Amino acid sequence: MTSPRESPLLELLELLRRGAPVEQFDRPAADARSAGAGPAEQALVEEATRVALDIRRTLDQHRRREAELTALFDTAGDLAALRELDAVLRAIVHRARMLLGTDVAYLTLNDPAAGDTFMRVTDGSVSAAFQQLRLGMGEGLGGLVAQTARPYASADYRTDDRFRHTDVIDNGVREEGLRGILGVPLRVGTRVIGVLYAADRAVRDFAPDAVALLSSLADHAAVAIDSARLLEETRTALVELGVATETARAQSEATRLAAETHDRLTRLVLRGGDVADVAREVAALLRGSLVVHDADGAELARVGTDPAAPPAGPPAHALAASRSGGRAVAVDGAWVCAVLAGPELLGSITLGGRGDGLPDTERRLFERAGLVTALLLLLRRSIAHAEDRVRGELLGDLLAPAAPGRVRDTGSRAIRARKLGVDLARPHALVVLDCDPALRSRLAAEAARHARARHGLAGLHEGRVVLLAPTGDPGPLARSLAAELGQALGAPVTAGSAGPAAGPEGLPGVYAEALRCLEALHALGHTGGGAGLPDLGFLGVLLGDGADVGAYVDRVLGPVIAYDARRGTELVRTLEAYFAHGSSLARTKDALHVHVNTVVQRLERVRQILGEDWNTPAGALEIQLALRILRVSAAGPRAASAPPSSASAISARGGRPTPRG
């Protein structure tokens, strides 16, 4: 049965459940006074009423935000459906009016030719004059928004002297009956193309939330307008493409001549010619000088130019333009053609001595020279791939575990490595790389290139791309490879590393650790990143072979252990009791035979030492694991009472805890 004191509180909860109007929340307090409640009970009911009203306001804010987000999602869906532009803009303006609860909403677009902004869409407007308004830049509230690209709001526009009033604008606003007006800019990049408004026929102050919501809707409107512009430009481009097609047909004879020249160059290649031979042939045909560079900008051939001239490659912007368009481009009195194999850039050829005037026939010949050069560079790369296969086979031999009962022959492998410029006597880290299976062959090729640059090895092992490089820091190596290879592939590359291995005999174990690190990265949702086992915290301790758990304990509990050593406190012992008793303060103080305030003070000191997140699920797990390692160390149950030696004792034993007897 409910007591009299509980009845008003239950009534407040019932009002919250039903979503009752605000005025009804005063009734429980009035009933309590009528029932003769004492001052303390009345104060309790009034405080509960205040809290209930706060909860109701919070719920109303959540409902309003949900409605706003729904409207934004609906607007995005309209854009994705590629509806007609006017329909999308009408929907956006209508949603602005509904969500902000205004009498009118409207949208204007800038007219660059006239230097003003004109009404495009309205919702809730009843005045024909208002619907046909044009605002000069800087005139009125809307003209100021269009000019400054900043939102402006006026609680009562008619009496607001912050804006430049004109008779035309004021008459239109007065005929529509508007008072409170909010306007936000429509932006495409840094360019303002119009203004979105929400307006009331009564005085109104617009809150920051209203400005933010209207700005979001304005962004959607700007996207719709810009998309329509892009569609129109696409139509124009298609028309121009048709004209270009007709031009191509008219030049078919010139194309045939270029094809014959291409055949000559192909026969030259088949007879064993190299890049320099092709460059000499093309330079003679086009009566100019020719320079060939590879993808990295290194010079491969030079014909008809000063040999002492610097071997600089073509300008980056010219090469990018030729690559994107698939055509030769003129720049600074020379012609540049990207050498491509599909979308892949293999190098470039630069033709000089012809100025900007190159007939279409000769330009096509120049472009075909790029195709032949691509063929030669692909042949060169095939040779490099053969060397990479040798490197990959050596890497596979190094990573393969020795057969049972047999000793690994590391001497011959070290000799083979030295022939490839790899010194296995140095400490080496090993990285296992992973990406989309469809890109694995490209990843292997890029990894081989990076390995050669680092004087290491790379190849496929057990279906995985593996890279071995001389370094003592596997973590930074993995992170840099994940970033660089991911950029080269245009897709996420995940890199798990381990090491360093001091000699060839340790590489199979290091490979197993790197593979476990890679699998952990995927499991933790860190696809596209790189890390070594030490970067994984306690997971690195669990996954690693011979991991330095002493260093792990020092990292997690070192500050607390040092504090106990300096002050003679028992923070480590308190943490053990706290976690052992399910984080219960009452049971912890009983276990330690101290007052609960003492436990609270000790845990507060731990928070000051370890940081705010010490008792989060992840932080608590790290601390408990470190405490367990301390407990099973040689210090045994004295780990908490004599903390300074615990972590160092673990490190001194090579990073492995000693079980207690």
Side-chain angles (χ1 to χ4, degrees), residues 5 82 102 153 191 309 356 423 474 518 534 619 624-625 658:
R5 178 173 293 183
L82 294 176
T102 57
R191 184 168 53 93
D356 293 335
D423 182 6
L518 175 68
Q624 291 179 71
L625 178 60
T658 302

Side-chain angles (χ1 to χ4, degrees), residues 575-595:
L575 283 172
E576 284 186 322
Y578 177 70
F579 288 117
H581 292 87
S583 302
S584 168
L585 296 176
R587 285 186 285 170
T588 302
K589 63 99 175 174
D590 291 338
L592 297 174
H593 306 293
V594 297
H595 194 274

Side-chain angles (χ1 to χ4, degrees), residues 471-638:
T471 179
D473 296 316
L477 174 63
R479 287 188 288 275
S480 65
L481 286 174
E484 294 170 10
L485 295 175
Q487 182 178 10
L489 267 64
V493 173
T494 310
S497 65
E505 62 279 355
L507 289 175
V510 171
Y511 168 72
E513 286 193 8
L515 187 57
R516 288 196 293 273
C517 180
L518 175 68
E519 292 168 348
L521 287 172
H522 283 307
L524 293 172
H526 296 329
T527 298
L533 284 177
D535 302 323
L536 300 182
F538 75 91
L539 278 178
V541 174
L542 296 176
L543 296 173
D545 288 336
D548 188 357
V549 294
Y552 172 75
V553 172
D554 283 338
R555 181 175 64 81
V556 176
L557 284 178
V560 178
I561 294 172
Y563 188 92
D564 277 351
R566 290 194 308 271
R567 305 293 182 90
T569 54
E570 294 187 327
L571 299 185
V572 172
R573 181 166 171 255
T574 302
L575 283 172
E576 284 186 322
Y578 177 70
F579 288 117
H581 292 87
S583 302
S584 168
L585 296 176
R587 285 186 285 170
T588 302
K589 63 99 175 174
D590 291 338
L592 297 174
H593 306 293
V594 297
H595 194 274
V596 68
N597 288 343
T598 301
V599 177
V600 172
Q601 291 168 4
R602 291 179 180 180
L603 295 180
E604 173 60 19
R605 180 62 64 187
V606 169
R607 182 193 66 78
Q608 294 173 3
I609 296 173
L610 296 183
E612 296 290 341
D613 60 348
W614 76 273
N615 205 17
T616 61
L621 180 60
E622 295 263 9
I623 292 173
Q624 291 179 71
L625 178 60
L627 289 170
R628 289 295 181 90
I629 294 172
L630 279 176
R631 182 168 289 279
V632 299
S633 67
R638 297 187 299 278

Side-chain angles (χ1 to χ4, degrees), residues 365-559:
L365 170 58
F366 181 50
E367 291 166 354
R368 287 184 179 274
L371 295 176
V372 177
T373 304
L375 175 61
L376 288 173
L377 294 180
L378 285 174
L379 291 174
R380 280 174 46 128
R381 190 165 68 178
S382 296
I383 297 173
H385 284 174
E387 180 183 343
D388 290 340
R389 282 196 296 273
V390 174
R391 291 174 174 267
E393 290 169 359
L394 172 59
L395 180 61
D397 291 343
L398 290 170
L399 300 183
R406 297 186 62 183
V407 179
R408 290 171 55 86
D409 179 15
T410 58
S412 63
R413 293 180 174 89
I415 294 173
R416 290 165 58 191
R418 280 197 298 271
K419 291 180 178 179
L420 295 172
V422 178
D423 182 6
L424 294 178
R426 298 173 59 188
H428 279 68
L430 193 138
V431 184
V432 181
L433 303 160
D434 189 33
C435 68
D436 187 300
L439 300 174
R440 189 166 297 155
S441 60
R442 284 185 58 198
L443 175 61
E446 288 293 332
R449 187 168 64 85
H450 280 262
R452 288 195 300 272
R454 288 176 164 86
H455 303 288
L457 301 172
L460 287 172
H461 182 67
E462 297 179 346
R464 303 272 187 179
V465 179
V466 182
L467 184 144
L468 181 71
T471 179
D473 296 316
L477 174 63
R479 287 188 288 275
S480 65
L481 286 174
E484 294 170 10
L485 295 175
Q487 182 178 10
L489 267 64
V493 173
T494 310
S497 65
E505 62 279 355
L507 289 175
V510 171
Y511 168 72
E513 286 193 8
L515 187 57
R516 288 196 293 273
C517 180
L518 175 68
E519 292 168 348
L521 287 172
H522 283 307
L524 293 172
H526 296 329
T527 298
L533 284 177
D535 302 323
L536 300 182
F538 75 91
L539 278 178
V541 174
L542 296 176
L543 296 173
D545 288 336
D548 188 357
V549 294
Y552 172 75
V553 172
D554 283 338
R555 181 175 64 81
V556 176
L557 284 178

